[in-house]
Amino acid sequence: MKTLGIETSCDETAIAIYDSKEGIIGESIYSQIDMHAEYGGVVPELASRDHCVKIVDVLLDALGDLSIKKIDQIAYTSGPGLLGTLLIGESFAQGLSIALDIPLIPINHLEGHLMSPMMEFPEIKMPFICLLVSGGHTMIVDVIGKGKYEIIGQSEDDAVGEAFDKIAKLLDLPYPGGPHLEKLALEGKSDTFDFPRPMINSDNLNMSLSGLKTSVLYTVQKISNISKEEKADIAASFQQAISDVLVTKIKKSIEITGRNEVIIAGGVAANKFLRSEFKKLEQSHNIKVYYPDLKYCGDNAAMIAFVGSMMKPIKNIDYSSKVRSRWPLNELEI
Ligand code: KG4
Ligand code: ZN
């Protein structure tokens, strides 16, 4: 069974083919980051137009020598994300489904992130804890079974990736700032500034990042003619504070649920400092921590094709639009 996955929820045009015996057999991704960097963030209208321009080339690149007639079903991201960009992926998926007369499966983007490590590490068994940290989301999910996801903690304000990007902007780093901030932090000392760790000791698993962000803002504003060394110290101290909050909340979630596998997913999972901090939990808490390969941390279509391949066979294809800008994990049909 070959599932073609299409991902267009934000600024990546991505297509991949998942074969239920061989795994991923073709994939291609085009990132619009350079175009949006000029504006300091994703411009939805430009993103939609660029998906239209690139999607056919991305499909052909993903297929390579494989004939499109060999595809058995189409899975596509129908939410959450930018409405305009999601509609491009949906229309393209519908066209392929009609032309090839094969099933069409709408997929929740967040479910793609949650499930993708199982594609790379077949030894992972549900239930497990997933920390999903991206530009738009920060949540701790108890993955009980396929389609059974309990959000046990989340950010009450900014997403972690969003906080990284905002602090990076304050430090005059390019967009998206997360990877640039991580690089700058390597040159700094993480104990120079004692930034707040909001809600770290709260008795639930929720987090808040706005107080930390404001504290960094005031610190930057107080320093006149800020030097490269001071920026590096701020970056390292900020990264340490976020990491302390996330690690503490994950520790607590393991203690509460008794799960012994933790998966870190989403764009921020690419951060090597965070990875090394979470790795320490393996010994202290006798658990296993998994990270997706770097190419599967951010948005990609392999995760969409993979989740599509796990879905029950579709009998009647429904071509009405399924696109949703908001689509919480607890509103999935099982
Ligand atoms: O999952 P993703 O590609 O897109 C969505 O938001 O869905 O995540 C992008 C976010 C951005 O905020 C980016 O700055 C952040 O992930 N990010 C990082 C790193 N790489 C990407 N944040 C910290 N350290 C990194 N190495
Ligand atoms: Zn994402």
Side-chain angles (χ1 to χ4, degrees):
M1 165 78 88
K2 289 180 179 46
T3 306
L4 184 109
I6 301 175
E7 158 61 36
T8 60
S9 66
C10 190
D11 58 345
E12 262 92 28
T13 317
I15 295 190
I17 302 118
Y18 181 83
D19 181 292
S20 31
K21 289 205 188 86
E22 295 172 51
I24 294 295
I25 54 171
E27 60 187 318
S28 180
I29 182 161
Y30 173 77
S31 171
Q32 305 175 350
I33 272 184
D34 292 344
M35 178 179 74
H36 298 295
E38 219 182 294
Y39 303 91
V42 175
V43 184
E45 176 67 22
L46 294 181
S48 301
R49 285 167 188 268
D50 214 30
H51 283 300
C52 284
V53 173
K54 299 292 177 355
I55 200 161
V56 172
D57 285 344
V58 170
L59 171 67
L60 297 177
D61 190 38
L63 285 170
D65 293 335
L66 181 74
S67 161
I68 193 148
K69 295 192 180 116
K70 298 270 186 228
I71 302 296
D72 299 295
Q73 55 180 13
I74 312 279
Y76 70 99
T77 303
S78 60
L82 300 170
L83 272 184
T85 61
L86 289 167
L87 281 166
I88 309 291
E90 180 173 75
S91 305
F92 194 69
Q94 287 172 335
L96 288 175
S97 161
I98 292 170
L100 298 167
D101 193 21
I102 55 176
L104 178 67
I105 316 166
I107 301 290
N108 181 298
H109 178 85
L110 302 175
E111 188 175 26
H113 278 303
L114 288 189
M115 292 285 119
S116 66
M118 294 183 75
M119 165 178 82
E120 291 178 73
F121 307 102
E123 69 271 28
I124 299 176
K125 296 277 173 285
M126 294 181 267
F128 57 78
I129 295 289
C130 180
L131 171 66
L132 177 55
V133 266
S134 70
H137 296 91
T138 292
M139 51 177 86
I140 303 172
V141 185
D142 188 13
V143 179
I144 300 162
K146 167 78 187 72
K148 284 178 129 185
Y149 311 118
E150 196 181 332
I151 300 167
I152 54 176
Q154 57 192 323
S155 170
E156 294 188 352
D157 36 60
D158 287 5
V160 174
E162 189 184 356
F164 264 94
D165 293 344
K166 285 178 179 166
I167 300 304
K169 200 170 182 182
L170 270 180
L171 300 175
D172 304 315
L173 297 171
Y175 172 86
H180 296 282
L181 192 146
E182 178 187 6
K183 199 162 160 231
L184 179 63
L186 290 174
E187 298 164 32
K189 289 192 294 301
S190 62
D191 57 358
T192 313
F193 298 94
D194 186 18
F195 292 130
R197 276 104 169 120
M199 293 182 73
I200 194 164
N201 293 319
S202 69
D203 53 10
N204 58 24
L205 297 170
N206 286 348
M207 297 155 255
S208 159
L209 300 175
S210 66
L212 166 61
K213 204 179 58 189
T214 311
S215 171
V216 179
L217 171 69
Y218 289 160
T219 304
V220 172
Q221 283 173 342
K222 265 190 241 145
I223 307 174
S224 50
N225 294 324
I226 190 165
S227 66
K228 174 100 191 282
E229 288 71 30
E230 284 164 327
K231 284 184 182 175
D233 288 341
I234 290 172
S237 305
F238 163 77
Q239 193 172 246
Q240 183 71 58
I242 286 227
S243 161
D244 288 351
V245 173
L246 293 175
V247 170
T248 304
K249 296 292 172 175
I250 287 301
K251 267 187 204 163
K252 222 176 242 172
S253 63
I254 299 163
E255 286 156 13
I256 293 172
T257 60
R259 309 288 182 232
N260 52 19
E261 288 181 319
V262 173
I263 287 166
I264 319 290
V268 184
N271 186 291
K272 293 195 189 64
F273 178 75
L274 269 184
R275 286 180 175 227
S276 63
E277 294 288 287
F278 279 115
K279 249 334 188 201
K280 293 178 190 162
L281 289 181
E282 288 201 330
Q283 285 192 343
S284 65
H285 281 66
N286 196 24
I287 56 158
K288 188 101 182 79
V289 180
Y290 294 91
Y291 305 96
D293 187 282
L294 286 183
K295 70 176 175 181
Y296 296 139
C297 286
D299 292 345
N300 66 86
M303 65 185 194
I304 304 303
F306 177 64
V307 175
S309 77
M310 299 168 94
M311 294 297 194
K312 288 193 210 114
I314 294 208
K315 292 198 187 80
N316 302 312
I317 310 174
D318 171 6
Y319 286 113
S320 63
S321 180
K322 300 288 180 299
V323 160
R324 292 176 65 170
S325 57
R326 267 193 82 256
W327 185 7
L329 277 171
N330 50 10
E331 288 179 18
L332 294 184
E333 282 173 34
I334 304 172

